[in-house]
Amino acid sequence: MKKKLYLLGVFILCVVTLSGCIPTSEKKSDTLGLESTDRYELLIGLNDVGTGKQIMDTQEAIEIIKMKLLRHVSGVTITVSNGYYYVGAFIVDEATLNCVIYGADDESIAAVVNEINSDMNVSVLVSKTPSKYRLITP
C-alpha cells in the first residue's frame, strides 16, 4: 500500500513538473480586430548627397516627397525630425522626414526610394517590420 501511494505521489509530481515545462500557446485577444501587414518607415535626409548641405526648403521637400509617395502607396504619415551623424570629426545636423507607411509592398517602396534618390539626390533609410493595425474612426 505504501509503495502504491509512493508511486502515485511520484507520478503526480512528474505530471505537475512536466506540465510546467510545456509552453502554453499565446493568449490571443482580438478585441481590437487588428489586421496584419508590413510597416515601412522611410527616413529621408534632406542634405544633398553631393554638397552635404540642404538645398531644398523643408516644406517644399515635404510636398514633393508626399506626392511621390502617394503615386506608389495608399497613405503616409510624414513628420519632420533632426538627424545627426559624424563625417570625420564633424557632427552633421540634417533635417529628416520620417515617413510611416502601412500596407505597401517591397516593390512599391523600392520604386519610390529610387525616384527620391535620383530626382532629389538625398539618402533614404528604409525599415520594414511586421505589424498589426486597425484604423479606428468614430
Side-chain angles (χ1 to χ4, degrees):
M1 184 66 166
K2 282 186 178 186
K3 190 175 184 180
K4 286 183 181 181
L5 285 175
Y6 175 74
L7 289 175
L8 181 62
V10 170
F11 177 74
I12 291 172
L13 182 61
C14 287
V15 169
V16 170
T17 302
L18 287 177
S19 67
C21 295
I22 298 171
T24 57
S25 62
E26 285 185 25
K27 196 177 207 181
K28 295 193 178 195
S29 171
D30 194 19
T31 57
L32 290 176
L34 300 177
E35 299 178 39
S36 295
T37 191
D38 288 322
R39 178 185 188 271
Y40 293 88
E41 185 169 5
L42 280 58
L43 299 176
I44 304 169
L46 296 184
N47 286 359
D48 182 81
V49 172
T51 65
K53 302 284 182 198
Q54 185 172 338
I55 296 173
M56 187 178 302
D57 175 68
T58 301
Q59 288 302 326
E60 182 182 355
I62 289 171
E63 288 302 313
I64 292 169
I65 288 171
K66 174 182 73 175
M67 296 313 296
K68 288 181 182 303
L69 283 163
L70 290 176
R71 281 197 295 272
H72 295 276
V73 301
S74 62
V76 61
T77 299
I78 301 175
T79 57
V80 180
S81 61
N82 292 325
Y84 305 96
Y85 55 92
Y86 279 105
V87 172
F90 297 103
I91 296 175
V92 176
D93 182 354
E94 180 172 26
T96 303
L97 301 183
N98 298 37
C99 305
V100 177
I101 303 159
Y102 284 87
D105 57 38
D106 289 359
E107 292 76 23
S108 298
I109 298 299
V112 74
V113 168
N114 287 337
E115 192 175 317
I116 290 168
N117 283 151
S118 62
D119 292 352
M120 301 180 73
N121 200 37
V122 295
S123 298
V124 181
L125 182 136
V126 178
S127 171
K128 174 184 172 183
T129 54
S131 180
K132 292 188 172 278
Y133 79 101
R134 178 178 168 212
L135 178 62
I136 300 172
T137 56

